[in-house]
Amino acid sequence: MTSDPAAMSPSQACSGQTRPGHARPGRPRPEQTPTPRSEPDFSTPAALDLSQVTGGDSVLIALDFDGVLAPLQDNPDLSRMLPESARAIADLNALPGTRVALVSGRDVTTLRRLAEPPQGVWLVGSHGAEVDLGEPSPAASASVSSPDPSSPEVRTSQPEVSDEEQQMLTAIDAHIDSFEHGLSSASDAASVTEVRVERKPFSRTVHTRGLDAEFASSLHAHVVAVQAEHPGIRVIEGHDITELAVKTATKGDGLRALVAAGSPSTVLYLGDDVTDEDAFAELEVLDTSLGIKVGPAPTRAPRRITDPVAVAELLTRIANERAAHLA
């Protein structure tokens, strides 16, 4: 394991885990560090230069879900895409040469249930570990390449959990269960907020949004202690979540798989969390791309907008202007 942060992806530098590089032929991989390369001011959706997206020959529009399309919720099961964003995605999905993809830390099954994307929208789940290219929409397949099943970078099925990874998942569950059992035996258990755990195929996510700060800190310290016993577990810190993952895939890996599958001439990516920084870093090796950070956190992205309402406005603008361009 290396201790040099420059050798790590942004999200992995937070956890102390590393991954091997996957350099594209003829292009160096970007130097990926946990510190931002830019501190962009907030822009309004109307002020952004989107000409490379609205006028591109073939465009991939990749979007995080929570905090980008859906406002963050204390209860993650209540997350839903804003109706304006849903309409814009449906409009974009119907345009020739235009591919929409959702890239999320959610597992693909949950992402599909919560987002309800139209047919033809590609899904990346579990921070890049799952890539679901589904069935191509007639409009997108007219101008954007269909997935190449022979490509080693394109996965259309969920990878298996190895015996070692299953042991790590079992250990994570045991740590979470022991914390919950401690609560049930406490004298003031009735006043304690329940522990919200999202169980995914390759990870467990503990949600602390809305919890008492002292309780959240105690919960966090307890669950991350499992990494001392199993160093292969990757700890991912996000917006009021702590995720314990047994696979090392990142959203940068997921975005690379989407680009390999569709060969777009232009890529747009919107994300709000630290795990999206891996995708923003991946954009740096592309000739024509645009990364937009949603919210105030430090970022590598060159542009920034405020919140999911601004995202809905931005996507609506792109759909309208791209439709006009193609007409």
Side-chain angles (χ1 to χ4, degrees):
M1 179 182 298
T2 178
S3 59
D4 179 8
M8 308 179 196
S9 69
S11 59
Q12 287 167 327
C14 294
S15 67
Q17 301 302 305
T18 62
R19 68 181 176 96
H22 296 281
R24 187 170 303 166
R27 294 177 182 266
R29 293 284 297 140
E31 178 188 1
Q32 297 185 355
T33 72
T35 55
R37 285 195 171 187
S38 64
E39 284 290 354
D41 294 329
F42 283 102
S43 298
T44 64
L48 288 170
D49 180 3
L50 302 172
S51 56
Q52 60 181 329
V53 178
T54 59
D57 292 335
S58 60
V59 177
L60 170 65
I61 299 172
L63 309 160
D64 186 19
F65 179 67
D66 293 285
V68 174
L69 297 173
L72 296 173
Q73 303 287 338
D74 290 352
N75 184 343
D77 287 337
L78 300 180
S79 293
R80 294 295 185 274
M81 195 184 307
L82 291 179
E84 296 83 359
S85 285
R87 285 195 293 270
I89 286 174
D91 291 342
L92 287 164
N93 188 62
L95 294 176
T98 309
R99 175 71 68 180
V100 180
L102 306 186
V103 181
S104 177
R106 305 270 195 164
D107 63 274
V108 162
T109 299
T110 301
L111 179 61
R112 188 180 299 281
R113 174 174 59 83
L114 296 179
E116 298 182 317
Q119 179 182 345
V121 171
W122 288 350
L123 302 180
V124 172
S126 299
H127 301 290
E130 298 177 278
V131 178
D132 184 353
L133 304 181
E135 295 294 329
S137 64
S141 61
S143 300
V144 180
S145 300
S146 296
D148 178 4
S150 65
S151 171
E153 293 191 89
V154 177
R155 300 186 300 272
T156 57
S157 61
Q158 179 176 296
E160 295 182 355
V161 177
S162 68
D163 291 341
E164 181 182 5
E165 290 168 342
Q166 184 57 59
Q167 290 174 3
M168 289 190 285
L169 286 173
T170 300
I172 294 169
D173 288 336
H175 267 250
I176 295 172
D177 289 345
S178 69
F179 185 85
E180 293 178 321
H181 290 158
L183 291 178
S184 64
S185 61
S187 58
D188 59 346
S191 65
V192 175
T193 305
E194 66 174 334
V195 177
R196 294 191 298 272
V197 180
E198 190 178 359
R199 287 177 164 80
K200 308 175 187 178
F202 315 113
S203 67
R204 304 292 186 261
T205 301
V206 178
H207 294 262
T208 56
R209 179 173 295 276
L211 298 183
D212 173 78
E214 184 176 352
F215 179 87
S217 178
S218 176
L219 172 59
H220 173 271
H222 189 91
V223 297
V224 300
V226 71
Q227 194 184 44
E229 303 169 16
H230 298 273
I233 294 173
R234 177 181 171 213
V235 177
I236 305 169
E237 305 289 1
H239 289 318
D240 297 306
I241 66 100
T242 299
E243 183 155 354
L244 306 169
V246 300
K247 288 190 181 293
T248 60
T250 71
K251 289 183 179 179
D253 297 319
L255 183 59
R256 193 177 323 120
L258 295 175
V259 171
S263 301
S265 60
T266 302
V267 179
L268 169 67
Y269 187 89
L270 273 71
D272 74 308
D273 214 340
V274 63
T275 55
D276 295 299
E277 295 303 310
D278 296 306
F280 291 136
E282 186 65 27
L283 294 180
E284 294 168 12
V285 304
L286 301 177
D287 292 329
T288 307
S289 65
L290 177 60
I292 300 177
K293 183 76 169 185
V294 180
T299 186
R300 302 176 70 99
R303 300 290 182 268
R304 186 195 302 277
I305 58 178
T306 54
D307 54 26
V309 173
V311 171
E313 182 181 342
L314 179 74
L315 294 177
T316 300
R317 180 191 161 194
I318 293 173
N320 291 337
E321 293 184 9
R322 184 154 177 78
H325 170 79
L326 293 171

